[in-house]
Each structure stands twice: as C-alpha cells, then as structure tokens.
Amino acid sequence: MTIELIGIIALLIGIVGIFCEPAFIVSVFFCSTLLGSAAAFTLPALGGTNIQPAHLLLGFLAFKLIGKGGPNSMKEGLAIGRPGFWLMLSLIWSVFSAYFLPRIFAGQTFVFPARTTGYSLPLEPATSNLTQSIYLVGDFACFILLYGYAATRIGRRAMENAALLCVALNLVFAALDLLTFFTGTAELLSFIRNANYGLLNDTELAGFKRIVGSFIEASSFGAMTLGYFAFSGKLWLEGVHPRLTLILAGLSFFALLFSTSTTAYLGLAAFLIVAYLQTIFNALRRPINPQALWFIVSMPIAAPLVMVAIALNDSSAIYVGGLLNDLVFNKMSTASGVERSSWNAQGLQNFIDTFGFGVGNGSMRASSFPVSVLASLGVIGALTVSLFLVTVFLSGLKGDDNPARSAYRNAAKYTCLAWLLAATVSGALVDLGLPFFAFAALACSPVASSFAASTGSTRVLSAESVAR
C-alpha cells in the first residue's frame, strides 16, 4: 500500500473530526467527494486500485455518526418499501453477481472490461468484480449513515450547509484549474491529481481550456457540475437565499459551458426541459414566487434571442456551429463515439447471452448507466435499482410543514436527477458515486423519526436556536 500526501491530510482531518461535532466531519466528507482525481492511497495488490479521500473519510463518518445514536433511524431507513431497503437488495444482488455470475457464464460472452483495454475479452472473474463491489458497499454505507443523520433538525441543517459549500468549492477548484493552467503552475495541484487514471487536465477545444476542476477530465467535471447547478438553481427557484443561490447557479452554468463536455451539454438540455415543465406544472397547482415566474417567462424568450443573436453574427455562427458539430451532432462518428457505441452494443449482447442475469457487477463497462445495469446486474438488479431510484424521487410528495426543508429536499432530488441524466449519457459502471448517494439521503430524509425522538426534542430545539 502506498500512502499519498492527500491521504495523510485526509487521515489527519478525519482524526480531528472524531473530536468535533458531527457537522464538521459531514461537511468535510461532502467536500472530499469533489476530489475525483485524488488517491489517498493505492493498493498494488489489487492492480493499483485507488482509494479516494472520500472513501477514507467515510470510515470516520461512520464512526462518528454511529456513535451518536444513528442506528435507530438507520433501521427505519431499511424498512420494507423505503429507499434504503431497495438499495440494500441492490447491494446484496450486486455482490452475489460479482462473485458467481462471471464464473457461471465464464467464456460464454465477450465483455469490454471495467478497466478498459480498448478491446473485448471473454468473460472471466476479475479484480474489478471485487473493487466495484467494495465501492457499492461504500455507497450503501454513505446513504444509510446520512439518511439517519438527516433525521434530526441539526443533521439536516448540517447537510444542507455542506451541500451548498460543496457547490461553492467546486467553483473554486474550477477557478484554480484555469488559473494554474494559464500561469503554467498546474503542478501546484498535483497533490490532488495523483490517481493512476488517464488525467486529461490540459486539453483545449475550439480555443477554450477544457475545465476539469478537481476531476480527471472535462466530462467528469461537467457531469458533476451539472448536479451542483441543479441544486443551486432549484434552491433559487424555491426562494432560498436567492442572491447566493443565483450567483452559484449562474457561475455553475458558465462553468458547464466552458467544460465543453458533450455529457454536460446533453444533460443540461434534458435537465432544463424537465425543470421547466415541472415549474409550469407547479404554477398550475399553487401560487409561485417571483423566481419561478421569471424562469417560466424568460426561458421561451431568452433561448430564441440567444440563437438569433448568434445567427446574425457570421463569425459567431461559424464558431458555435463548429463547436456543436464537434461535441454533439458529429460526436457518434468520432473514434470516441464509435468506441462508446460498441460498448453499449456489447453490453446489450451480454444481457442476451446471459439470459437476462447479467455478467456480474464489475465485469464490464458501457457508455450508459441503464445499459451497464442491465448488462451487469440483469433483470433482478435493474428492478431493485429502479425501485430505489423511484422511491427516492417520490419520497416526501405529501409535502413538509417547513418550506425551507422541503426546498432543500427538492433541490437534492434535482441534483440526483441531473446526475442520473448525465450517467445515462455516458455512465460506464453501475456505481453512481458517493456524491449521488449523499444527496439522495438528503432528498429522502425523514421528516421525523425515532432518531430525532431519541436525542430529545428539547435538546434539538435548543441546539438549533444556538446555531441560528
């Protein structure tokens, strides 16, 4: 095992977190999920597998939250029909499939390995079956821990603040990426760009430096920033800290554009359509605030005006047209597009060759999350994963007596939706990542639970009043 500098820093912060209030380690954990190109340490025995700082800090998070009485509410989250129940079933089937299915169907179909080699290989057990299973265990632990923590008012408040901090910090990393690139000091960020992935942090397209922030490539940055744009944008629509959230949403929007990522552009287009339709639907059911009204009125006006302004300027039209051709319209004819199409086609063939059981979690990669789930986990896994997602998005539909709390839950749902759209465009594996499950826990956080009761209502209310 090789320990890196960022790993030592994360370890020290985790130790400090043990002696601080839970809000500290929760905030640190949320922010650490941004370090997508960092490795706290590597495991040569597992093929050089990277352990990211967020996974290291997840252990400290578990120690702190379980020690605060969280198991009561965590048990509630695992009740039949709740999101945690379906996620638990998905995890059990994923681990089962990772061990048994590559052995049962060994040699009966070809797969593009999770660690891409550029060509397909006969199905067989691989190290990635183990590592991907471990990642899913981490996802489950992240969700159920934060679900339990969000059962208290103080816990929810801490997670809401941590999520907003995460949005802002992502923009800081984007600014640092641009600053170090143009000043020739990119090596200053090498301590958080030490993972043994293929890092693409110095590429340009159409005269733009492709922003990668703290991630390995522009596509990853664009996908994650799409979620943070959705979070801050929804909070603005709900009237929560409107000035702050408008600034964060606006900056995230421009960061998305300058990432020049196909995933970001397609995901953004799909997300804006969904968000616009839902805002109109809400307007038909109840009175809306000025932000939502402005969004409804301005979208049909602003979009055509921008397109007309670009079309009237020849140089702008040629430039934007070329950019869209490279990133969207002609993407599937590029070498990358052809390769990703072959991954999806082979993934669907894997589903057929295994009679709908799948080849096992970690056995293959695709270029779309739904295809990866079907090919890896088969019908059973697709069903449990779908039920988990449905229960997350449908949770809390009866409303909440606290408008601000409801706004944060809705914003977290928008974040998960945005990331799910991005994963549908280019997601390679079943693992949606720790950030998705952290925000999913906030999205379906219980309004009241035995965990809140066990801490004592008087204690919670007094602590909250001090926090305010």
Side-chain angles (χ1 to χ4, degrees), residues 176 179-190:
L176 289 175
L179 179 63
T180 56
F181 176 80
F182 288 113
T183 59
T185 57
E187 65 275 3
L188 293 177
L189 298 179
S190 60

Side-chain angles (χ1 to χ4, degrees), residues 188-204:
L188 293 177
L189 298 179
S190 60
F191 74 103
I192 62 169
R193 291 173 173 169
N194 61 333
N196 57 0
Y197 303 130
L199 302 180
L200 302 173
N201 61 312
D202 57 355
T203 59
E204 296 183 56

Side-chain angles (χ1 to χ4, degrees), residues 16 40 91 233 242 262 264 286 320 339 364 381 463:
V16 171
L91 172 64
T262 303
R286 60 178 182 267
V320 173
E339 181 183 43
M364 56 78 65

Side-chain angles (χ1 to χ4, degrees), residues 23-269:
F24 174 80
I25 193 66
V26 168
S27 297
V28 170
F29 173 74
F30 264 80
C31 292
S32 70
T33 61
L34 291 170
L35 302 177
S37 61
F41 51 91
T42 57
L43 302 175
L46 294 178
T49 299
N50 299 302
I51 303 300
Q52 295 183 335
H55 286 93
L56 174 60
L57 289 169
L58 180 61
F60 291 97
L61 181 74
F63 179 84
K64 188 67 177 180
L65 297 189
I66 291 176
K68 284 290 182 179
N72 291 329
S73 190
M74 293 175 197
K75 290 178 181 178
E76 291 182 5
L78 297 176
I80 296 177
R82 299 248 177 122
F85 173 78
W86 298 116
L87 183 59
M88 179 179 64
L89 292 186
S90 299
L91 172 64
I92 293 172
W93 174 251
S94 296
V95 173
F96 175 89
S97 71
Y99 183 81
F100 289 101
L101 296 185
R103 290 167 171 80
I104 294 173
F105 296 108
Q108 297 185 33
T109 186
F110 283 80
V111 297
F112 285 98
R115 292 195 171 192
T116 180
T117 59
Y119 49 86
S120 61
L121 298 171
L123 174 63
E124 63 179 2
T127 304
S128 55
N129 294 122
L130 174 62
T131 57
Q132 288 300 311
S133 296
I134 293 175
Y135 289 149
L136 288 184
V137 171
D139 293 339
F140 173 77
C142 171
F143 176 83
I144 205 66
L145 286 168
L146 292 177
Y147 180 92
Y149 183 58
T152 66
R153 294 182 180 90
I154 293 177
R156 269 193 302 271
R157 180 69 63 83
M159 288 178 62
E160 291 163 1
N161 292 337
L164 271 178
L165 178 61
C166 208
V167 177
L169 188 58
N170 181 59
L171 294 171
V172 171
F173 278 125
L176 289 175
D177 179 37
L178 291 175
L179 179 63
T180 56
F181 176 80
F182 288 113
T183 59
T185 57
E187 65 275 3
L188 293 177
L189 298 179
S190 60
F191 74 103
I192 62 169
R193 291 173 173 169
N194 61 333
N196 57 0
Y197 303 130
L199 302 180
L200 302 173
N201 61 312
D202 57 355
T203 59
E204 296 183 56
L205 180 64
F208 286 116
K209 193 279 180 190
R210 304 190 72 187
I211 301 178
V212 300
S214 55
F215 297 92
I216 62 174
E217 60 178 350
S219 178
S220 300
F221 171 80
M224 296 305 297
T225 304
L226 175 62
Y228 299 132
F229 164 74
F231 185 77
S232 52
K234 181 59 175 176
L235 287 179
W236 176 74
L237 286 175
E238 297 275 359
V240 177
H241 306 303
R243 292 184 180 179
L244 173 63
T245 52
L246 178 60
I247 292 173
L248 291 176
L251 292 176
S252 296
F253 178 79
F254 284 110
L256 273 175
L257 296 183
F258 284 99
S259 71
T260 61
S261 163
T262 303
T263 299
Y265 289 173
L266 293 178
L268 177 63

